[in-house]
Amino acid sequence: MDIFSVKYAIVAMLFFLMIAKYDIHMFQLSSYRNIRYFRWLFPGNIISAKRTMALAMLVAIFIPGDFGSGFALGVTATVWFYSLSEKFKTPLVYTKRVKRLFVTDIILFTVIGTLSLLFAGEWAKFIIACMLLFSNILMLIANIINTPIEKAINRHYYNEAKRIINSNKNLIVIGVTGSFGKTSTKNYLASTLAEKYNILVTPGNYNTLLGVIRTIREQLRPYHQVFIVEMGAKQKNDIKEICDLVHPTIGIVTAVGEMHLETFKSVKNIQDTKFELINSLPANGLGIINNDSKYINNYKGIKSNCRIVRYAIENTADYKATAVQYGANGVSFQLNNEQFNSRLLGEGNLLNILASIAVADHLNVPVNKQKNAIARLQPVEHRLSMKVANGITVLDDAYNSNPQGAKMALDVLKNFAINEGNRRIVITPGFVEMGARQYEANRELGKTIATSCDYAIVVNATNREAIKQGIDEGGLGTDKYYLADSLNIAHAHLAQILRAGDVVLYENDLPDNFK
């Protein structure tokens, strides 16, 4: 083993630590699912900026002496500064699982690299360079190695959470699911029920089985009377698994839409999965469903004998808002001869409020307390929240990622009052993870944009052509939209054209593993 090989190996290890972090970050954004990770990896990301720089490590193999190792060190420094400057909307969360994956990944690289240096002779540096180029494969192998450990740990946590929740005999568990609207409904429901009960809510986006387990283990206490559980799903049985743990007696399905078609394959599968919540309810339970959602209204697969309550704005329902009026101060409406007021915007938020009222009535929260809670409701961040600064109104719907929610947000923009000479502007990258429907859904989005706003900025390349086609078909002039390669470029362009009195809607925000 010559001195150059040792220097090369040290530099390679430094490089590997940086590129492994990137690999694990993208794996985390793919929900630790191999299939989703490979969809991101192929074909556009197999040669990322970091991996392109890794090719230089191959060049260093053929450069003898200190110059070669110095060249490799220079490459490493370049990547290091690149990594420091790179910004992610969703940073890597250093969970215990991530730390274990990191350690296993490093051990694999170290063992293979050391054995190569000891026994592979001239091929050692080539083997190390290949591990750098294909470090994502090494990371997936590390994940396979860790899988039995992760399953054992998760099983222990599951059993502990089950013991805790079973010990709270009088706990009322409410499940909330839907293709969209579930987080807002969860929060509005918590605010309303808090007028009478001691509430625990799954925080943030803790809507997976592991997130619910963590909430139970760390936060559920004997004095809690109501536990509101947001339930997300990426594939069939995801919601059933959560229900089998928490045993809800009340369930809300906020909407069924064409989200995650890439994994669900069909709307029928999405319907069946969302209604796993309703079908898990006991005979004395209560199912609350949005009758304005087409794929809820026409669903015939309810198997539970629980009582079903429907809410709506447009269609027939048990809880139907009437005399709805939108204004600068929010929305007012009537329900069962009672007047309600809220500062929230859009039909989506009004539907979420109706679901909350239905549960509050069932749990005997006095109407006057319901009204007070609803009047105080604050928009959930990035879900059609409104801010005004320097005369500019910003409607932030960045978390939304579905066609129905986008249509509601664009309808709010279309009807937003502005002065003559001002404009309604939308910034969007469109929808992802919609499988075969993705192009058509984004083309339809473009057509809606053309009739809802005065100017559009389309961000990133993922859906550019589809949205552009829709905008062109909708009749918005080519001088009325701008195609930006990144959000930073979009912001720079927006700063050039923006003027006081304009209204800007941020609609959807692609995760970091889409470009």
Side-chain angles (χ1 to χ4, degrees):
M1 185 190 308
D2 58 34
I3 189 66
F4 171 62
S5 297
V6 173
K7 289 180 179 178
Y8 181 89
I10 292 172
V11 171
M13 173 56 78
L14 294 173
F15 192 3
F16 177 77
L17 291 175
M18 289 180 282
I19 202 167
K21 177 185 174 184
Y22 178 74
D23 292 335
I24 293 173
H25 190 180
M26 293 300 108
F27 192 47
Q28 186 179 72
L29 291 175
S30 301
S31 303
Y32 305 109
R33 298 176 189 264
N34 292 339
I35 293 176
R36 295 187 74 198
Y37 183 72
F38 275 112
R39 284 198 187 101
W40 164 76
L41 189 63
F42 295 103
N45 295 292
I46 186 74
I47 302 296
S48 65
K50 288 185 174 69
R51 230 168 294 286
T52 301
M53 291 182 179
L55 289 170
M57 297 294 287
L58 279 172
V59 177
I61 296 173
F62 304 103
I63 302 177
D66 290 337
F67 183 78
S69 56
F71 178 82
L73 184 61
V75 171
T76 305
T78 302
V79 176
W80 174 256
F81 286 114
Y82 172 81
S83 299
L84 289 177
S85 64
E86 194 171 22
K87 303 296 183 183
F88 291 97
K89 295 182 283 290
T90 306
L92 175 63
V93 180
Y94 287 93
T95 62
K96 291 181 180 179
R97 175 174 182 170
V98 164
K99 292 175 183 177
R100 287 190 291 268
L101 184 56
F102 232 130
V103 169
T104 306
D105 203 13
I106 291 169
I107 290 173
L108 271 178
F109 182 84
T110 303
V111 169
I112 296 172
T114 301
L115 291 175
S116 299
L117 290 171
L118 290 175
F119 302 110
E122 293 298 322
W123 286 97
K125 294 188 289 294
F126 180 79
I127 293 171
I128 292 172
C130 286
M131 283 196 294
L132 291 174
L133 284 172
F134 302 105
S135 61
N136 37 34
I137 305 301
L138 200 67
M139 182 267 297
L140 292 174
I141 294 171
N143 183 58
I144 292 171
I145 293 170
N146 282 6
T147 295
I149 299 172
E150 299 302 332
K151 285 184 177 179
I153 292 171
N154 293 342
R155 187 163 54 249
H156 169 73
Y157 287 157
Y158 181 94
N159 291 334
E160 184 180 354
K162 191 170 186 177
R163 176 185 59 78
I164 292 170
I165 200 162
N166 287 344
S167 67
N168 289 43
K169 299 297 184 184
N170 297 318
L171 184 68
I172 300 169
V173 179
I174 303 171
V176 183
T177 192
S179 297
F180 54 92
K182 53 186 176 289
T183 301
S184 298
T185 301
K186 172 191 70 177
N187 290 335
Y188 303 162
L189 179 59
S191 298
T192 307
L193 296 186
E195 295 289 320
K196 180 178 179 179
Y197 296 95
N198 197 313
I199 307 293
L200 175 65
V201 182
T202 49
N205 291 317
Y206 278 38
N207 59 13
T208 64
L209 177 62
L210 292 180
V212 175
I213 289 172
R214 182 173 178 180
T215 303
I216 294 170
R217 292 177 58 247
E218 296 179 358
Q219 299 185 36
L220 185 61
R221 298 293 180 265
Y223 52 77
H224 286 126
Q225 297 169 291
V226 176
F227 183 27
I228 303 173
V229 182
E230 180 179 340
M231 301 179 180
K234 296 291 178 64
Q235 57 191 19
K236 294 187 74 171
N237 292 320
D238 278 357
I239 291 173
K240 183 179 182 300
E241 286 182 343
I242 299 175
C243 292
D244 288 344
L245 171 64
V246 301
H247 302 295
T249 56
I250 301 172
I252 302 172
V253 182
T254 61
V256 172
E258 299 172 318
M259 291 183 66
H260 305 304
L261 276 172
E262 205 165 47
T263 53
F264 280 111
K265 306 302 181 185
S266 71
V267 172
K268 178 62 165 56
N269 287 337
I270 299 174
Q271 288 176 303
D272 290 341
T273 303
K274 299 305 179 185
F275 274 87
E276 287 171 3
L277 170 57
I278 303 300
N279 288 329
S280 75
L281 299 176
N284 63 347
L286 176 67
I288 300 170
I289 59 179
N290 174 10
N291 217 37
D292 278 349
S293 175
K294 177 176 70 173
Y295 296 120
I296 290 178
N297 190 310
N298 66 13
Y299 186 66
K300 306 300 181 184
I302 296 178
K303 301 172 184 177
S304 172
N305 293 321
C306 69
R307 182 164 70 96
I308 300 296
V309 168
R310 298 173 183 265
Y311 63 94
I313 300 171
E314 301 294 336
N315 294 326
T316 302
D318 305 285
Y319 282 75
K320 181 178 174 67
T322 59
V324 179
Q325 292 187 327
Y326 295 100
N329 296 321
V331 63
S332 65
F333 63 96
Q334 289 186 6
L335 179 65
N336 299 329
N337 298 319
E338 296 285 350
Q339 180 78 23
F340 290 83
N341 298 285
S342 172
R343 66 186 71 183
L344 302 177
L345 295 171
E347 286 189 2
N349 279 321
L350 177 51
L351 287 166
N352 300 335
I353 290 171
L354 292 175
S356 302
I357 293 173
V359 177
D361 281 351
H362 179 70
L363 296 179
N364 300 313
V365 178
V367 173
N368 64 316
K369 290 189 175 183
Q370 293 182 35
K371 289 181 178 181
N372 291 337
I374 290 167
R376 294 194 305 267
L377 288 177
Q378 297 291 332
V380 178
E381 188 178 13
H382 307 311
R383 291 169 175 85
L384 203 56
S385 57
M386 182 174 68
K387 296 179 181 178
V388 180
N390 301 320
I392 308 297
T393 301
V394 176
L395 303 176
D396 184 355
D397 200 39
Y399 192 81
N400 173 51
S401 59
N402 66 89
Q404 294 94 329
K407 188 175 184 302
M408 289 181 182
L410 285 165
D411 188 59
V412 170
L413 180 66
K414 180 179 180 179
N415 293 295
F416 207 96
I418 59 173
N419 296 322
E420 186 176 350
N422 287 120
R423 293 163 300 173
R424 301 174 181 90
I425 302 170
V426 65
I427 300 178
T428 184
F431 315 119
V432 295
E433 296 184 337
M434 295 193 68
R437 271 279 296 149
Q438 184 161 318
Y439 190 95
E440 180 61 23
N442 282 290
R443 186 180 72 86
E444 291 171 2
L445 173 65
K447 292 175 70 174
T448 305
I449 285 172
T451 59
S452 302
C453 66
D454 306 299
Y455 196 86
I457 300 177
V458 181
V459 184
N460 293 352
T462 304
N463 300 309
R464 176 180 294 165
E465 290 306 316
I467 298 174
K468 178 180 178 295
Q469 181 182 344
I471 291 175
D472 290 338
E473 290 175 3
L476 194 66
T478 55
D479 60 332
K480 300 297 184 182
Y481 63 84
Y482 178 79
L483 307 177
D485 289 333
S486 69
L487 189 59
N488 287 336
I489 294 174
H491 282 156
H493 179 72
L494 181 66
Q496 294 176 353
I497 66 170
L498 206 57
R499 50 181 177 259
D502 287 346
V503 182
V504 181
L505 169 65
Y506 283 87
E507 184 57 36
N508 196 8
D509 188 9
L510 291 187
D512 290 304
N513 50 342
F514 286 92
K515 302 298 182 187

